[in-house]
Amino acid sequence: MILFPEIFHFSYLYFFDFFGRIQMVWTQSPAFLSDFGSNQGWTSPNYDRIVQDIDQNAGRTLDYVGFGFDHVTIAWGGTAAGPLSSTGPGFTEVFPQSVQIHDFGLAQGYDSTYLRGVDFTGSVDATVWSSGNAGFYYYKEVGETAHTDAGGHVFFVPQYQGPFFINDFGHNQGWDTTHGIDVVFAKNTDTSASILGFGNNGLVVDRQAFGSVPNTTTYTVSVAVGNVAGGYNNINDIRTFQDYNHKAIDLNADGYTDFVGFGPQGLQIAFGNQDASGNYIISNPTTVNLGSGPDFGDAQGWNNQNSVRDLLDINGDGRLDIVAFGYDGVHVALGNGGGFGPQYKASSDFGIQQGWNTTDHLRLLGDVNGDGVTDIVAFGANTTFLVLGAKDAAGKVTWDASQVLDPSHQIHDLTKAQGWSTTENVRVVGDVNGDGHADIVATGTFGTGVWSFA
């Protein structure tokens, strides 16, 4: 198995165009974190590993959270010190004394059937939570200490207290992986986040659950987004109040968080609001016509076992768009300020017809070259490919499939042929060191490395 072949011998690969200019290429950062890999004991799918921004530093850099055997481990993104006194995009070392949450691990009875996450629940609060047996448990940030990384960037290490408890959203109340829980601000003027859970009969809400005096009263909004009322199932379908980057969805920019679902009938949306008592509610979902009728749902042949459907702003206009990897390539529906416009085919690669599947391959999104347009990073059978997005005057984004032939856009690693698994390893795309370029974060056998395109 070839994993991180340049840990002890770091080198740049240069390519030149016809005029002798240096082209951008993939390079691996020498700042390597010897953690979160199988050699460090992360060998089970029961050990969830989440890579997202949790300290809200100025660069919005990615951080790394691992739900391990008996505690939660956090490493902070930025410019980290690596082996041989080198520095580069990476994560801080993890020290035993920095572990504050001795909970939510396999030793406490939590495995992959329990929902776990890290979300902002206040102005700067990153709350670590899990749906347990009796209900919803969480550890709340009560303070933070500023630190400076090797590149001079500031990151914030929180101090946690808990566990706090809410008597709902647990296994005893019927919550499992076929349902789903989002922790998100229901309204942009709220002072704390809410718990929004997809139950059997609709949406279960704990409005502003994480205030200084926790709210433990839940209520159900009877709308067709549930497992029974709506026919959704998180194994096959997607229903969410958060986009690809964990930000609240607000399709019509009215300050209330909205719902997007890819379900039994196709793409559905529901707008957030509040009732006369100030309770957060959503409308009954409506199925969206994407130019030739409903699409992206079970009825049209899309499900989580054969396709990928993502929500993010791909053209920089401030509106959420849909990027869907389906049968014959990549399809897009641009946001239009209250929903989504007609679907169009944006690339003739990365679909089932071209040999891609959800079992062996990953297809991820991010702005790799920092031009404001989303790019595709695809981990294939034996090569990792980059296809840069192009935007026309109308904001329409496409990905030219011929770029997969460009050797400067390829990494001959991080794929199934080199021993990488979609279940045992971690591969994500995002900005690690705050330079405005999305990187690849890859955790394999020996630990965690970062690849940058520059």
Side-chain angles (χ1 to χ4, degrees):
M1 182 183 295
I2 302 172
L3 298 178
F4 302 111
E6 298 179 44
I7 294 173
F8 302 107
H9 176 69
F10 177 73
S11 62
Y12 288 91
L13 299 176
Y14 292 109
F15 289 88
F16 297 86
D17 64 15
F18 180 79
F19 299 100
R21 297 172 298 198
I22 296 177
Q23 292 180 290
M24 296 179 73
V25 295
W26 285 109
T27 57
Q28 186 182 354
S29 172
F32 184 81
L33 175 63
S34 298
D35 210 335
F36 300 114
S38 56
N39 276 9
Q40 294 85 35
W42 300 80
T43 56
S44 169
N46 295 321
Y47 303 147
D48 290 341
R49 289 162 289 180
I50 298 172
V51 185
Q52 67 186 61
D53 174 26
I54 69 167
D55 66 345
Q56 286 195 332
N57 57 357
R60 293 293 188 264
T61 57
L62 292 180
D63 306 301
Y64 206 125
V65 182
F67 293 86
F69 177 71
D70 61 357
H71 62 268
V72 179
T73 298
I74 302 176
W76 308 95
T79 303
L84 306 178
S85 300
S86 58
T87 60
F91 298 91
T92 60
E93 297 292 334
V94 176
F95 299 99
Q97 61 267 30
S98 67
V99 176
Q100 302 175 48
I101 301 175
H102 294 273
D103 205 346
F104 298 154
L106 198 60
Q108 291 88 21
Y110 292 86
D111 58 25
S112 60
T113 65
Y114 291 82
L115 302 172
R116 294 177 282 194
V118 183
D119 289 280
F120 293 116
T121 58
S123 58
V124 295
D125 302 331
T127 294
V128 182
W129 61 267
S130 182
S131 170
N133 287 322
F136 186 97
Y137 297 87
Y138 65 95
Y139 287 78
K140 188 175 177 62
E141 180 182 340
V142 294
E144 59 185 15
T145 303
H147 296 267
T148 304
D149 68 16
H153 304 98
V154 176
F155 63 97
F156 300 93
V157 177
Q159 291 81 49
Y160 287 99
Q161 282 186 0
F164 299 97
F165 175 70
I166 294 171
N167 187 26
D168 206 338
F169 306 107
H171 276 209
N172 292 354
Q173 294 86 26
W175 296 83
D176 57 30
T177 53
T178 70
H179 297 81
I181 295 172
D182 281 351
V183 173
V184 66
F185 283 78
K187 187 180 180 182
N188 61 10
T189 56
D190 284 351
T191 56
S192 70
S194 301
I195 303 173
L196 305 180
F198 301 106
N200 286 326
N201 300 313
L203 178 69
V204 181
V205 180
D206 188 339
R207 177 75 183 272
Q208 298 202 72
F210 304 94
S212 56
V213 178
N215 178 29
T216 59
T217 302
T218 65
Y219 58 92
T220 299
V221 183
S222 298
V223 290
V225 299
N227 285 37
V228 176
Y232 278 86
N233 183 313
N234 274 30
I235 304 301
N236 296 317
D237 308 317
I238 295 171
R239 46 189 166 173
T240 184
F241 291 94
Q242 295 176 296
D243 67 12
Y244 187 81
N245 296 307
H246 305 282
K247 296 180 180 178
I249 295 170
D250 187 2
L251 298 175
N252 56 357
D254 66 350
Y256 292 96
T257 297
D258 302 322
F259 165 85
V260 175
F262 301 91
Q265 306 305 317
L267 170 67
Q268 292 189 317
I269 60 175
F271 295 108
N273 210 317
Q274 66 181 28
D275 63 17
S277 300
N279 295 318
Y280 174 76
I281 58 175
I282 62 171
S283 60
N284 253 312
T286 59
T287 303
V288 179
N289 186 325
L290 292 172
S292 57
D295 211 336
F296 298 138
D298 299 359
Q300 298 83 34
W302 299 75
N303 60 63
N304 291 341
Q305 282 71 52
N306 65 21
S307 54
V308 179
R309 293 156 291 179
D310 296 317
L311 284 164
L312 71 166
D313 178 10
I314 62 173
N315 58 8
D317 66 356
R319 298 170 177 172
L320 280 186
D321 311 305
I322 296 170
V323 180
F325 297 85
Y327 178 73
D328 62 346
V330 185
H331 294 256
V332 167
L334 295 177
N336 59 16
F340 301 93
Q343 179 210 129
Y344 67 91
K345 188 175 179 180
S347 178
S348 58
D349 204 344
F350 307 117
I352 297 172
Q353 198 174 54
Q354 294 85 30
W356 295 79
N357 63 69
T358 56
T359 301
D360 300 322
H361 312 128
L362 284 178
R363 289 152 289 181
L364 305 178
L365 300 166
D367 184 6
V368 171
N369 63 346
D371 66 351
V373 181
T374 294
D375 310 310
I376 294 173
V377 179
F379 302 84
N382 51 37
T383 304
T384 299
F385 301 100
L386 167 65
V387 175
L388 300 175
K391 180 177 69 172
D392 65 17
K396 187 175 180 180
V397 175
T398 54
W399 294 278
D400 182 358
S402 68
Q403 291 183 47
V404 300
L405 302 175
D406 186 342
S408 69
H409 288 204
Q410 300 174 0
I411 303 173
H412 297 289
D413 202 348
L414 311 180
T415 71
K416 183 179 180 180
Q418 293 90 28
W420 292 77
S421 164
T422 56
T423 57
E424 294 296 328
N425 305 128
V426 175
R427 289 163 293 179
V428 300
V429 171
D431 189 358
V432 172
N433 63 339
D435 65 356
H437 294 228
D439 311 295
I440 297 174
V441 178
T443 302
T445 296
F446 301 110
T448 303
V450 176
W451 292 79
S452 299
F453 189 72

